[in-house]
Amino acid sequence: MGMIIELQQVALTYQSPDGEIEALKDVSFHMAEGEFVSIIGPSGCGKSTLLSLVAGLEKPSHGAIWVDGDIVTAPSPKIGLMPQRDQLFEWRTIWSNVTLGLEVRHENTPKRQAHVRELLERYGLSEFLSKKPSQLSGGMRQRCALIRTLATDPRILLLDEPFSALDYQTRLSVSDDIHSIIRQEKKTALLVTHDISEAISMSDRIVVLSHRPATVKAIHDLGELRLLSPMERRDAPNFRTYFNQIWKELEINV
Ligand code: ADP
Ligand code: MG
């Protein structure tokens, strides 16, 4: 199977006024088309940096990244980035929020708009087009943020801790929701999180990163858990086994 994302010995050192900050060191992994991979690592280890590199917003100091066979040198329309906060603009309606990406790219065409309408319909948001984000629940806002990212029809989604602003209960149902949308739309997804349960409940594989400078500590294939929804996985007998293993790898000391 052809790899849609490939990282080979990627390193990044930031130059800052106070000196150099080594964020990533020797990171290698790959993803097949349609795969859902989570990156988990301690806070500050370099996870967002890794997504910026894949998105073409930063350049590696060493190594290289390929997306769909081409070396990444700049942002590509093949990639959609869903940021940590939903970044919906309060003064804009839901419709003008979800079509913002199209506006920015000068792609606000009837064809694209029809696609967005279809997504809003499919995921239960079509009644809210003229509402403001503050009139929506946390979960619905997250769905809007995802639809905005899907509006430009990227093949790859990069998600940076998309659920971190939600309370625990909302998070469970929203992660279920977002997982099924990504599967249904047949996207390749790379999700960054520091939450072990979230990684196990959503992905096909999990890449565990070390403390900064981040390097790959382990890669887990979730095997038969892949066939279950996030909710079902949390009740599966081997959920705990993966959890304990990753907990150890992250060297969490309490
Ligand atoms: P994470 O997302 O895992 O919490 P980040 O990738 O945001 O970690 O950051 C990794 C390290 O790189 C941190 O020490 C952070 O302070 C530093 N860093 C991130 N962005 C920059 C930047 N633009 N310039 C300098 N240092 C940065
Ligand atoms: Mg981050």
Side-chain angles (χ1 to χ4, degrees):
M1 199 168 2
M3 292 301 151
I4 191 156
I5 297 179
E6 212 166 334
L7 285 84
Q8 255 180 39
Q9 298 174 322
V10 172
L12 181 86
T13 300
Y14 287 112
Q15 310 294 334
S16 85
D18 312 324
E20 297 190 333
I21 297 169
E22 199 181 6
L24 300 176
K25 177 181 145 184
D26 194 19
V27 173
S28 303
F29 68 92
H30 51 73
M31 288 175 68
E33 176 125 46
E35 224 185 350
F36 197 129
V37 171
S38 289
I39 303 277
I40 189 161
S43 177
C45 78
K47 301 183 295 298
S48 296
T49 300
L50 186 54
L51 285 195
S52 306
L53 285 161
V54 176
L57 301 169
E58 297 276 358
K59 283 198 171 62
S61 324
H62 293 282
I65 300 168
W66 286 264
V67 166
D68 201 19
D70 295 323
I71 289 215
V72 175
T73 54
S76 148
K78 289 175 185 168
I79 293 181
L81 183 63
M82 187 165 156
Q84 193 152 353
R85 299 265 154 187
D86 62 35
Q87 291 180 3
L88 298 174
F89 294 107
E90 289 303 334
W91 64 90
R92 287 182 156 238
T93 63
I94 295 306
W95 174 254
S96 71
N97 264 292
V98 293
T99 52
L100 183 62
L102 296 179
E103 264 178 51
V104 171
R105 291 186 187 201
H106 307 290
E107 286 177 18
N108 211 353
T109 59
K111 190 178 163 219
R112 290 285 197 210
Q113 288 191 6
H115 176 228
V116 175
R117 272 183 207 288
E118 199 184 298
L119 289 170
L120 289 164
E121 178 91 19
R122 199 177 306 156
Y123 302 115
L125 288 165
S126 48
E127 300 155 51
F128 301 93
L129 297 190
S130 55
K131 296 269 195 282
K132 295 287 169 61
S134 60
Q135 295 173 284
L136 267 59
S137 68
M140 286 163 89
R141 292 178 65 115
Q142 222 51 30
R143 236 184 288 160
C144 283
L146 180 61
I147 290 173
R148 177 166 64 191
T149 310
L150 292 173
T152 53
D153 207 18
R155 283 166 66 192
I156 301 163
L157 297 173
L158 306 179
L159 306 106
D160 195 353
E161 310 208 31
F163 313 120
S164 55
L166 303 172
D167 63 75
Y168 181 71
Q169 281 307 324
T170 311
R171 207 155 150 166
L172 290 185
S173 67
V174 172
S175 57
D176 219 53
D177 203 32
I178 299 290
H179 179 265
S180 89
I181 296 176
I182 291 173
R183 277 275 192 266
Q184 241 174 294
E185 301 300 321
K186 298 187 168 49
K187 302 296 180 186
T188 302
L190 182 57
L191 171 93
V192 155
T193 180
H194 62 262
D195 183 323
I196 303 175
S197 298
E198 191 171 291
I200 302 171
S201 60
M202 296 194 72
S203 8
D204 297 323
R205 284 191 299 139
I206 301 175
V207 176
V208 183
L209 297 180
S210 68
H211 287 276
R212 191 175 66 81
T215 184
V216 176
K217 245 186 152 171
I219 298 181
H220 297 273
D221 190 314
L222 293 176
E224 67 271 32
L225 280 185
R226 289 167 177 237
L227 304 171
L228 305 177
S229 77
M231 291 287 194
E232 292 166 336
R233 293 186 198 194
R234 288 170 198 267
D235 295 325
N238 48 355
F239 187 92
R240 206 70 223 169
T241 317
Y242 284 114
F243 189 99
N244 291 341
Q245 181 66 37
I246 295 170
W247 177 277
K248 271 191 226 138
E249 287 159 359
L250 290 173
E251 295 171 358
I252 297 168
N253 299 307
V254 288

